[in-house]
């Protein structure tokens, strides 16, 4: 093949350009530390990366939901413990006076204590998490219970959050299910705890009224059922917390797995790239040197 | 045989080598001229004459100046130019669009879609919360902004392709006119027996330039002219000294340019749809590729808006009234916006019952739209967008690969052309030396004959 003056120049430009492009690509890999910097670098992997990124986004959202639900349920759990303790106190008080032979001052004292304990239960039942009444259903603005009457002012709607795709967890326990013994799915029992306490308060009597032993015994029995009802709610909350915890672990595991896949696709193998870079650099320098040498060769120097 | 005729032989050598050196000089000075083909002075012995029964030569003469030129290679080069023109234009335009879809290194539309539905998830935890409601509104605004921004990039790309047609057709017309003029000059010079090598090189170069812009076929005629035809329809672009021309008219329906071709020697323009070369790529981008992306984007925007609006209208806001559309209706990606009637956070319909404003079931249903696969032919909104990003990436990658291959191929052809027609300075220097020595020798012949004449004259005196 006849080589003209421009043949070598043309080829030198083409090959130097190619070398420069490769160098540039390798430098980009090293400096960005990402294998894929734009969709066209690898369309198939881009698709995988974006799908994973969506999943990770969703997982992070589910984790946020779980954290919020856990906080809410922890507040609920604390309130339930308070209610349960108060009922236990009321039970032992009632047991101590159930034989009906107490003095007027003892009756008055028991009466006052029961009134105070009922108020305490109502206070616990009006617990708030943030601005929300935890036992108020979805009507968050009004307190679910008042000390003036035993009616429930909330609603029986249970709110849900999504904890993983298409899987929901009911978060709140409504006051009617807990203290009024009404509602279903779940139903914790059928005891109206507030009414039971009112019945007990009147059965105990006071300094002027004698105790009604039969009513006290009935009240003690009802209170026992009420304690079971609260305990059922506590078990439910514990089960919910357990589920959230499990889901949280699962989400974390999924997240780790997906992040590993991303890192497998995106992480630049710096050792390999570094080696390639230095190889390419050497090749490029050699090409430059050769080009310079050949271009300077001319018959003119020898004529 | 006289001394005079020997003197003539010397003179013919001087004249021939002077011409040869002049051709060598032309080659040397055009070593870097694009499209130049090296020329060679073809030497031939002058007609013989006989004297005293001997057949004697009459020196040398330059019969022609030959151009090293490979017509087949030149045609292959032209075809390669057409492919390269098409792929380069496409690749450049697509690479300009790609950053708008570069979800890999930046947060774009895809992220804003996820964020929008995530904001509804947050709302489910606290349906009455002002901060959560504000976040939904902000995410909706952000989503609309992102749709608008990507759509603007695409429509700007369409406009810029459309505008580039003006300069492109101007340049094509100039090339066509130049080819026709050169044809005319070459024909005149050839008829008068002149040498039109340089003009032919110029014309070949113009044909190469033209081939990059549109697909052409061409034939060389015996009178030295070249007829150029448009590859797509076979219409004549240049016939002899007549040139056709491309013109643009604005289409009333689309508002974009229609490309019209007036064939050489014709007076009426007909609309054409070029598919090759730079012109073909520009039209393909403007009419098919970019509008394709745009329509996918519009489908996504309208579907999201419709589904979200329907869900919002199925719920109740913080005041217990039925929800109103979140996005303004009848939208495309370019015009999607948050409904101007949404003036406050209380209008977000999180509840599914008019009586219970703290309910979160509608927010939950809204958040679940993110996983809905019924409307986007089996994929979620995010998946649909992801496949769009992948498609753009694939298109860019393919066009980049094509350009690399085209470049390698035309580099190969250019090397072949250079090998055949390119000037080698070393070769020319050798020729220069050779011709110089021959010139010196011819001069020596003349001085020798002059001496001989002096000798003869000396005999006389």
């Amino acid at each position: 093949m006849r080589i003209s003056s421009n043949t070598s120049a043309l080829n030198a430009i083409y090959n130097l350009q190619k070398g420069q492009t490769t160098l540039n690509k390798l430098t980009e890999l090293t400096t960005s530390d990402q294998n894929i910097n734009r969709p066209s670098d690898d369309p198939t992997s881009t698709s995988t990366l974006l799908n994973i990124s969506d999943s990770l986004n969703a997982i992070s959202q589910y984790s946020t939901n779980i954290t919020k639900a856990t906080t809410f349920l922890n507040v609920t759990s604390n309130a339930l413990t308070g209610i349960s303790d108060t009922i236990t106190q009321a039970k032992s008080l009632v047991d101590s006076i159930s034989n009906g032979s107490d003095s007027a001052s003892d009756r008055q004292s028991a009466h006052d204590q029961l009134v105070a304990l009922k108020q305490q239960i109502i206070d616990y039942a009006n617990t708030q998490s943030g601005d929300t009444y935890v036992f108020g259903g979805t009507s968050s603005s009004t307190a679910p219970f008042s000390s003036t009457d035993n009616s429930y002012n909330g609603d029986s709607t249970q709110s849900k959050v999504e904890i993983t795709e298409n899987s929901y967890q009911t978060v709140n326990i409504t006051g009617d299910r807990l203290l009024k013994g009404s509602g279903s799915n779940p139903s914790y029992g059928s005891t109206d705890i507030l009414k039971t306490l009112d019945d007990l308060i009147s059965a105990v009597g006071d300094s002027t009224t004698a105790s009604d032993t039969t009513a006290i015994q009935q009240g003690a029995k009802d209170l026992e059922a009420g304690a079971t009802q609260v305990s059922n709610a506590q078990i439910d909350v514990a089960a919910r917390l357990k589920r959230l915890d499990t889901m949280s672990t699962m989400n974390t595991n999924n997240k780790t797995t997906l992040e590993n896949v991303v890192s497998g696709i995106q992480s630049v193998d710096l050792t390999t790239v570094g080696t390639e870079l230095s190889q390419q650099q050497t090749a490029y320098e050699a090409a430059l040197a050769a080009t310079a040498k050949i271009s300077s060769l001319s018959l003119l120097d020898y004529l | 045989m006289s001394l005079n005729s020997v003197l003539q032989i010397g003179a013919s050598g001087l004249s021939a080598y002077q011409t040869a050196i002049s051709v060598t000089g032309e080659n040397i000075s055009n070593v870097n001229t694009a499209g130049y083909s090296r020329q060679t002075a073809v030497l031939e012995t002058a007609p013989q004459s006989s004297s005293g029964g001997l057949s004697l030569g009459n020196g040398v003469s330059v019969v022609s100046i030959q151009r090293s030129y490979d017509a087949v290679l030149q045609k292959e080069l032209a075809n390669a130019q057409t492919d390269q023109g098409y792929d380069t234009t496409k690749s450049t335009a697509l690479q300009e669009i790609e950053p708008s879809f570069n979800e890999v290194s930046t947060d774009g539309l895809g992220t804003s879609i996820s964020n929008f539905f995530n904001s509804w998830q947050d709302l489910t935890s606290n349906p009455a919360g002002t901060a959560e409601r504000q976040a939904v509104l902000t995410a909706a605004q952000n989503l609309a902004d992102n749709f608008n921004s990507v759509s603007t990039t695409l429509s700007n790309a369409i406009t810029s392709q459309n505008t580039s047609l003006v300069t492109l057709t101007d340049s094509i017309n100039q090339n066509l006119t130049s080819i026709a003029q050169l044809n005319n000059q070459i024909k005149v010079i050839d008829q008068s027996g002149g040498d039109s090598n340089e003009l032919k090189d110029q014309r070949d170069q113009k044909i190469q330039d033209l081939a990059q812009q549109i697909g052409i076929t061409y034939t060389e005629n015996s009178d030295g002219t070249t007829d150029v035809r448009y590859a797509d329809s076979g219409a004549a672009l240049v016939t002899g000294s007549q040139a056709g021309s491309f013109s643009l008219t604005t289409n009333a329906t689309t508002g974009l340019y229609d490309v019209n071709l007036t064939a050489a020697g014709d007076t009426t323009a007909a609309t054409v749809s070029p598919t090759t070369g730079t012109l073909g790529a520009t039209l393909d981008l403007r009419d098919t590729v970019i509008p394709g992306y745009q329509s996918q984007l519009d489908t996504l925007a309208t579907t999201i808006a419709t589904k979200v609006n329907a869900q919002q209208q199925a719920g109740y806001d913080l005041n217990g009234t039925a929800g109103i559309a979140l996005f303004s209706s009848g939208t495309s990606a370019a015009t999607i916006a948050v409904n101007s009637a949404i003036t406050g956070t209380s209008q977000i319909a999180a509840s599914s019952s008019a009586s219970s404003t703290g309910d979160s079931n509608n927010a939950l249903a809204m958040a679940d739209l993110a996983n809905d696969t019924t409307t986007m032919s089996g994929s979620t909104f995010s998946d649909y967008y992801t496949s769009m990003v992948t498609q753009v990436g694939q298109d860019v990658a393919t066009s980049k690969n094509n350009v690399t291959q085209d470049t390698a191929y035309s580099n190969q052809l250019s090397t072949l052309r250079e090998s055949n027609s390119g000037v080698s300075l070393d070769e020319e220097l050798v020729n220069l030396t050779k011709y110089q020595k021959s010139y010196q020798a011819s001069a020596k012949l003349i001085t020798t004959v002059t001496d001989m004449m002096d000798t003869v004259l000396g005999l006389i005196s």
Side-chain angles (χ1 to χ4, degrees), chain A residues 5-6 40 65 138 162 168, chain B residues 31 98 121 356 368 418-419 425:
Chain A
S5 299
N6 282 336
S40 58
N65 290 355
T138 56
E162 196 163 3
Y168 305 92
Chain B
V31 64
E98 193 185 15
Q121 285 277 8
S356 154
D368 278 347
E418 271 302 321
S419 171
L425 281 178

Side-chain angles (χ1 to χ4, degrees), chain A residues 40-274:
Chain A
S40 58
D41 285 345
D42 184 347
T44 320
S45 297
T46 300
S47 165
T48 316
L49 280 179
L50 292 188
N51 283 332
I52 292 178
S53 151
D54 277 340
S55 304
L56 283 174
N57 219 328
I59 288 175
S60 131
Q61 184 59 45
Y62 295 137
S63 297
T64 313
N65 290 355
I66 290 174
T67 312
K68 283 182 181 166
T70 307
T71 311
F72 191 92
L73 282 170
N74 279 331
V75 173
T76 310
S77 172
N78 286 342
L80 287 176
T81 312
I83 293 173
S84 165
D85 288 352
T86 313
I87 291 178
T88 312
Q89 275 183 48
K91 253 168 46 188
S92 62
L93 183 65
V94 168
D95 287 345
S96 71
I97 57 166
S98 54
N99 55 18
S101 61
D102 300 288
S103 66
S105 62
D106 285 347
R107 288 200 308 269
Q108 184 63 42
S109 152
H111 175 94
D112 290 349
Q113 281 186 55
L114 278 172
V115 169
L117 288 172
K118 186 196 166 198
Q119 182 56 44
Q120 204 171 331
I121 288 175
I122 289 172
D123 287 346
Y124 277 126
N126 284 341
T127 303
Q128 281 178 297
S129 169
D131 292 337
T132 316
Y133 289 98
V134 292
F135 298 110
T138 56
S139 68
S140 46
S141 46
T142 46
F145 295 100
S146 76
S147 43
T148 49
D149 61 32
N150 287 344
S151 66
Y152 172 61
N153 301 317
D155 60 34
S156 54
T157 313
Q158 304 182 83
S159 61
K160 292 178 291 183
V161 292
E162 196 163 3
I163 51 173
T164 188
E165 198 177 327
N166 292 327
S167 174
Y168 305 92
Q169 175 59 55
T170 310
V171 179
N172 63 336
I173 286 178
T174 58
D176 52 350
R177 288 184 175 82
L178 179 70
L179 294 184
K180 305 294 286 178
S182 64
S184 59
N185 195 25
S187 164
Y188 301 119
S190 54
T191 312
D192 184 341
I193 296 174
L194 296 178
K195 186 175 172 295
T196 305
L197 283 169
D198 278 349
D199 289 350
L200 270 173
I201 289 167
S202 62
V204 166
D206 54 22
S207 56
T208 53
T209 321
S211 306
D212 179 343
T213 319
T214 331
I216 288 177
Q217 277 161 359
Q218 181 56 44
K221 256 166 120 183
D222 290 349
L223 207 52
E224 185 62 49
T228 314
Q229 186 169 312
V230 172
S231 147
N232 284 344
Q234 280 182 300
I235 291 167
D236 192 17
V237 168
R240 289 177 192 184
L241 280 168
K242 175 73 192 152
R243 177 163 184 231
L244 290 179
D245 191 41
T246 314
M247 286 323 271
S248 175
T249 314
M250 197 185 94
N251 277 338
T252 312
N253 287 346
N254 281 349
K255 195 176 161 200
T256 315
T257 313
L258 291 175
E259 278 172 348
N260 281 339
V261 177
V262 170
S263 135
I265 297 175
Q266 271 292 37
S267 284
V268 175
D269 180 357
L270 282 176
T271 327
T272 315
V273 172

